[in-house]
Amino acid sequence: MHKSIKKISKISITTILVLIIIPVSTYFLLQSARVQTFLVKIVTNEISKNLDANFKIESVNYSFFNKVVLKNVYIEDQSKDTILFSEKLTVSINGINRKSKTITIHNVDLFHTKFYLFTDTATSINIKFITDQFISKDTTHKEKPKWKVDINNIEMNESVFRYRSNQNYQKKFGVEYNNMICAIKNLEVKDLRVENGDVTFQIKSLAFTDRSGFTVSDVKAFMSISDKHLKFKDITIRTANSFLVSDSISFSHNDFNDYQDFNN
């Protein structure tokens, strides 16, 4: 009996040591500059190939519990203009299934990020080539399946959002909707899902200041975006002098080009 207990103890200790050594060894291996360079090349090539656009990362660091830290992340559109630059992007990955094209992410944290949107009356919005990767137009299922993405939580802090249109409507005061620059104090998004061109998520909190000085202290809402609609539910928007509450607001459109002359 004593020998059996001793044998079981040895097996248990060995198993625990293996479970500790493997992730620890992996962690220290991934701190190597040579390994990181190799990983950066793989990641950038794979994403650039899938997006058909230039994607760059300065470095990749691996932490325990499937956490990946990307430094100086850069994505450009097909006109070679910047869509996104982030000094630090931390991703906690639950799983990636290449066969079913499914990505499940627990958390995305963006710090000191710049996000640019641009619309041109002669073309589409600059991120259309990315959103097209998630839209399946063939109902016969003969084409390759599009990627499905589930993200439990997204946080953005101390960042900048810019929206610009080629239409020149200059205003003497107030928000210039065709050339917005917003300083994002904080943004928290929950349960983001992208599937067959439909994007759904919850804005748990959003605070920002437009360059005109207009400040929104808090936004909360459930959102659904597709190529045919924009839907908002359970909306609350708070500013210094106003408080807006609505059960739902919906917009229908043929495509996003319908919003290019939103002021009129």
Side-chain angles (χ1 to χ4, degrees):
M1 181 70 176
H2 178 71
K3 288 183 179 180
S4 298
I5 293 173
K6 191 174 182 180
K7 187 176 181 179
I8 292 170
S9 298
K10 285 183 177 180
I11 294 172
S12 300
I13 292 170
T14 302
T15 303
I16 291 170
L17 286 173
V18 169
L19 291 174
I20 293 173
I21 289 170
I22 290 176
V24 169
S25 299
T26 303
Y27 172 78
F28 284 109
L29 179 65
L30 291 173
Q31 304 314 303
S32 164
R34 182 176 295 180
V35 173
Q36 286 190 12
T37 301
F38 177 70
L39 285 175
V40 166
K41 187 176 180 180
I42 290 175
V43 172
T44 54
N45 287 344
E46 182 69 16
I47 295 178
S48 294
K49 180 181 176 182
N50 278 287
L51 292 182
D52 191 24
N54 191 15
F55 179 87
K56 295 179 181 178
I57 306 171
E58 184 179 286
S59 66
V60 177
N61 292 308
Y62 172 80
S63 299
F64 293 115
F65 309 112
N66 296 328
K67 184 178 288 186
V68 178
V69 181
L70 309 178
K71 296 288 185 66
N72 293 333
V73 179
Y74 170 80
I75 304 175
E76 68 179 26
D77 62 24
Q78 294 183 317
S79 298
K80 300 189 181 302
D81 292 322
T82 302
I83 289 180
L84 181 141
F85 175 80
S86 182
E87 286 186 16
K88 183 179 179 182
L89 196 160
T90 305
V91 182
S92 299
I93 303 171
N94 287 344
I96 300 175
N97 190 320
R98 290 175 60 88
K99 187 175 181 180
S100 64
K101 287 198 170 184
T102 301
I103 302 173
T104 307
I105 296 172
H106 175 66
N107 189 74
V108 176
D109 189 359
L110 301 103
F111 181 73
H112 280 180
T113 299
K114 296 178 181 178
F115 182 50
Y116 301 110
L117 292 181
F118 174 73
T119 57
D120 189 324
T121 52
T123 59
S124 300
I125 193 166
N126 63 338
I127 62 169
K128 187 177 185 299
F129 73 101
I130 296 178
T131 59
D132 283 347
Q133 298 299 317
F134 305 95
I135 300 174
S136 179
K137 296 180 180 179
D138 190 346
T139 57
T140 64
H141 303 289
K142 291 181 180 179
E143 69 172 13
K144 293 181 179 179
K146 299 297 183 179
W147 283 95
K148 184 176 79 172
V149 180
D150 289 319
I151 305 176
N152 296 335
N153 189 67
I154 302 174
E155 294 184 25
M156 181 184 290
N157 296 285
E158 297 180 35
S159 298
V160 174
F161 167 78
R162 180 173 186 179
Y163 170 78
R164 185 167 59 91
S165 168
N166 67 332
Q167 298 187 31
N168 295 317
Y169 293 121
Q170 295 186 354
K171 298 181 67 174
K172 294 181 179 180
F173 64 93
V175 177
E176 193 173 345
Y177 294 103
N178 289 299
N179 193 6
M180 295 176 63
I181 301 177
C182 299
I184 299 175
K185 183 179 179 182
N186 68 275
L187 167 66
E188 184 177 3
V189 172
K190 293 283 189 183
D191 300 326
L192 184 144
R193 168 167 285 194
V194 181
E195 185 174 10
N196 293 328
D198 289 343
V199 181
T200 58
F201 57 91
Q202 176 191 3
I203 300 175
K204 191 161 186 183
S205 66
L206 169 62
F208 65 90
T209 300
D210 179 71
R211 64 175 175 169
S212 65
F214 176 69
T215 297
V216 176
S217 57
D218 191 32
V219 176
K220 300 181 189 299
F222 289 90
M223 288 191 65
S224 174
I225 304 171
S226 78
D227 59 346
K228 296 299 180 184
H229 72 250
L230 286 173
K231 294 181 180 179
F232 305 80
K233 291 184 178 180
D234 299 331
I235 311 152
T236 60
I237 302 174
R238 187 182 296 273
T239 71
N241 300 306
S242 61
F243 182 58
L244 172 67
V245 179
S246 178
D247 291 335
S248 66
I249 300 174
S250 297
F251 299 94
S252 297
H253 51 255
N254 294 316
D255 56 46
F256 290 106
N257 291 330
D258 291 350
Y259 299 102
Q260 288 184 349
D261 195 11
F262 190 78
N263 289 335
N264 296 314

